[in-house]
Amino acid sequence: MPPPHDRRWTARPPGEGRLPRVDPLTFLVGVVSALVYTLHGFHGALTRDLGVYSYAGQQVADGVPPYVGILNRAGPLAHAIPGVGALVARLFGTDELVTMRVVFMLIATAAVCTIYVLGRDLLGSRAAGLVTAATLLSFHGFIHYASSGPREKTPMTLFVIVALWALTHRRWFTAGVFTSLATLCLQTAFFSTFAAVVAAVMLLLGGAARLRALGRVAVGGLVPVALLAVWFALAGSLREAIDGFYVINRRYTVPNPVTADLERVWLDLDAAYGVTVWLMLAGVVALVLLTVAVAVPRARAAYPALRALPAMTTGLLAGLAWTLKDYDAWPDLFPVLPFAALGVGAAVAVAVRRLPPRPQWAVTAVVAGACVVLGAVYAASARDDTLLDQRQATADVLAQLPDDATITSIEAPQPLVLTGRTNPTRYQMFRSGLQDYMDDTWPGGLDGFRRDLVADGPDLVSVGETVSMTWRASLQPDYVFVGRAPMWEWYARASLGEETIARLRTAAGYDPDDPLARTGPR
């Protein structure tokens, strides 16, 4: 344990000296990160999930509380933070979606800068901090959402990193606040972050000091929750918030364990992270092995920074345990990315610690540079402008209808986002337990909702690519298939008339041989 007078967790290696309060390398890390993310572009495809969070942000900017504008299982900050981007866009007259993406790119940049500071302070070396930051910057999946969001896991990652930084400085109240903020973005962040914070308290402190620290963590965690509860109570949406944040996840969501289909999970991770999946695995293994070294007094005395790692490894293992229990897709690993990056940074720090300063920096430059190249090459090669096609497809179809034409979304919120329209209900997603919740709460259940949707008579229904044929059949014969757009299909109200339907089909690239064209009235 560090000397009682030392407020820091670790001692710095001999010769490193006291790190400056203003570190110019933090600015350098930020510039490089922003360049890599900008290289990836801001016009990537607006997928179903990204459309959910974009639409939620627009609703919050309109003054509609989270979960009231659209029902979703993530935390309320997943709605509110994109809303900041929408408000900024309205203030400056810029495109709302692109502005939201720029805001999230800045959040991702802040995450890389913060993990540099975390690695620097935790491992007592700016070189180790650079490797840690470059490792996070290299992860392909993180790059993708950095500029093609908004996705709640980007700010969640930033909040996790800040919580880890706070615990290394024994700022327990701050650690509690940011653990809470991460959880309010996405509930699964709680397990890894809280485990790391509690482990730090238990390892560092004892007796009354330990209890005081745990109390500060608890109070810090309650502050954001209390503020949001007041907002929801004043808005009259507290019940909706509790259902969306807790009840649906607890009662209706069925876990999907990794062991159910290991091959699918691996292919999913490999497609999303590419070669950096191996870097992630290396970081995980390194963090665990270096933690084991803490048990060896000689190793602990030779490199005091190793004392810090058990808390980080506790968080890592807690995050992996939850992921093994419930895995939906590759973004589920975001809560453990900071720990993997720290593992790589710590491994390099240990490997070069006996080298003179210049060779240390040479090795650091090679490793960090290689990680930056991995990130930059991916960012440039994976640049995607599908959003432009989605905009054009939406504009072409709506040009055939009056300006006040209405759209209802069935797992396809993209055209609502691109046109600034509002769905008639908060229900757009019908999977992962949301459909069962609706079945229990909507008058007449899910079938009643389907009947009500048709009875409301929107001009168009946008239907997600993965929506079942049962859903599509429930729209017919009142609605007819008129064509496709990138990542969704269009159905139009049959009573619009044959001439309008024909124009819509021309605009939407209708193919009479399309399987969907043969499943209902023409």
Side-chain angles (χ1 to χ4, degrees):
M1 183 178 295
H5 66 274
D6 188 359
R7 289 289 296 171
R8 308 188 64 80
W9 185 313
T10 64
R12 295 190 178 87
E16 183 69 24
R18 184 174 181 83
L19 296 175
R21 287 186 176 274
V22 179
D23 187 345
L25 289 181
T26 308
F27 176 75
L28 175 63
V29 169
V31 170
V32 173
S33 301
L35 288 174
V36 170
Y37 295 146
T38 302
L39 187 63
H40 188 247
F42 299 100
H43 298 286
L46 184 63
T47 63
R48 179 199 67 197
D49 289 348
L50 299 178
V52 166
Y53 296 110
S54 302
Y55 180 82
Q58 290 174 326
Q59 288 293 292
V60 169
D62 288 338
V64 182
Y67 306 111
V68 176
I70 180 170
L71 183 62
N72 178 262
R73 296 184 304 140
L77 295 185
H79 301 233
I81 296 176
V84 174
L87 287 172
V88 171
R90 295 174 188 183
L91 179 63
F92 292 100
T94 56
D95 181 82
E96 290 187 5
L97 178 57
V98 171
T99 304
M100 282 189 268
R101 289 181 165 183
V102 170
V103 168
F104 272 66
M105 183 273 288
L106 295 175
I107 292 173
T109 299
V112 180
C113 292
T114 307
I115 206 169
Y116 161 72
V117 175
L118 170 62
R120 180 198 70 187
D121 293 357
L122 179 66
L123 302 170
S125 164
R126 283 178 287 185
L130 284 177
V131 172
T132 303
T135 302
L136 181 62
L137 179 61
S138 73
F139 292 143
H140 293 176
F142 195 73
I143 294 172
H144 177 72
Y145 279 151
S147 68
S148 294
R151 191 67 197 262
E152 83 290 2
K153 292 178 174 66
T154 300
M156 176 208 70
T157 303
L158 171 62
F159 296 148
V160 169
I161 295 168
V162 176
L164 299 181
W165 173 85
L167 72 84
T168 66
H169 291 263
R170 305 192 190 189
R171 298 182 180 179
W172 306 119
F173 178 83
T174 302
V177 168
F178 281 91
T179 298
S180 180
L181 290 174
T183 306
L184 290 167
C185 286
L186 187 66
Q187 295 89 326
T188 56
F190 174 80
F191 303 102
S192 58
T193 315
F194 185 71
V197 172
V198 171
V201 173
M202 302 303 290
L203 286 169
L204 278 177
L205 306 172
R210 178 182 293 171
L211 292 176
R212 286 194 298 269
L214 291 174
R216 292 189 182 105
V217 170
V219 172
L222 288 173
V223 168
V225 175
L227 292 174
L228 285 171
V230 170
W231 177 19
F232 297 142
L234 293 175
S237 63
L238 189 58
R239 179 72 259 174
E240 290 84 351
I242 293 172
D243 284 357
F245 184 79
Y246 176 75
V247 173
I248 293 174
N249 289 286
R250 179 69 180 86
R251 186 180 302 170
Y252 295 95
T253 302
V254 178
N256 184 29
V258 166
T259 53
D261 192 344
L262 287 174
E263 182 179 4
R264 179 191 69 84
V265 171
W266 174 252
L267 291 175
D268 183 48
L269 292 175
D270 184 56
Y273 292 101
V275 67
T276 61
V277 73
W278 296 105
L279 187 61
M280 187 193 314
L281 291 173
V284 168
V285 172
L287 190 60
V288 173
L289 291 179
L290 290 171
T291 297
V292 173
V294 174
V296 180
R298 185 176 177 181
R300 190 164 61 246
Y303 196 29
L306 292 179
R307 297 184 183 121
L309 298 184
M312 301 300 172
T313 303
T314 301
L316 168 68
L317 296 178
L320 289 175
W322 179 261
T323 303
L324 289 172
K325 178 182 177 182
D326 187 10
Y327 178 90
D328 292 325
W330 58 268
D332 289 353
L333 285 185
F334 271 41
V336 303
L337 293 185
F339 299 100
L342 279 172
V344 175
V348 172
V350 170
V352 305
R353 70 181 183 83
R354 293 186 181 277
L355 297 177
R358 286 187 178 179
Q360 279 192 21
W361 279 103
V363 173
T364 297
V366 170
V367 176
C371 289
V372 172
V373 169
L374 280 175
V377 169
Y378 168 78
S381 61
R383 188 183 180 102
D384 176 23
D385 292 325
T386 300
L387 177 62
L388 302 178
D389 296 331
Q390 292 176 310
R391 290 187 189 277
Q392 189 61 54
T394 303
D396 289 344
V397 166
L398 288 177
Q400 314 308 315
L401 297 172
D403 291 342
D404 60 352
T406 54
I407 303 174
T408 291
S409 157
I410 301 176
E411 297 199 354
Q414 296 97 318
L416 297 173
V417 174
L418 297 177
T419 62
R421 283 170 167 78
T422 300
N423 204 58
T425 77
R426 69 188 185 118
Y427 297 97
Q428 294 190 49
M429 305 301 294
F430 306 95
R431 62 185 66 234
S432 301
L434 293 172
Q435 72 282 6
D436 297 324
Y437 173 79
M438 165 183 277
D439 205 33
D440 284 350
T441 57
W442 188 272
L446 187 57
D447 289 338
F449 178 84
R450 289 169 174 159
R451 291 191 297 269
D452 292 343
L453 186 156
V454 172
D456 286 343
D459 297 310
L460 296 169
V461 180
S462 57
V463 180
E465 292 178 316
T466 59
V467 171
S468 69
M469 295 306 298
T470 302
W471 253 110
R472 298 172 191 274
S474 71
L475 298 173
Q476 299 163 344
D478 299 87
Y479 285 82
V480 296
F481 172 72
V482 295
R484 296 177 180 266
M487 299 190 173
W488 72 88
E489 291 90 39
W490 291 111
Y491 285 76
R493 180 161 44 84
S495 60
L496 290 173
E498 293 184 4
E499 182 179 343
T500 300
I501 296 295
R503 292 201 312 269
L504 288 169
R505 284 176 166 168
T506 299
Y510 177 80
D511 179 1
D513 294 326
D514 190 307
L516 293 178
R518 299 196 296 267
T519 60
R522 302 191 182 197

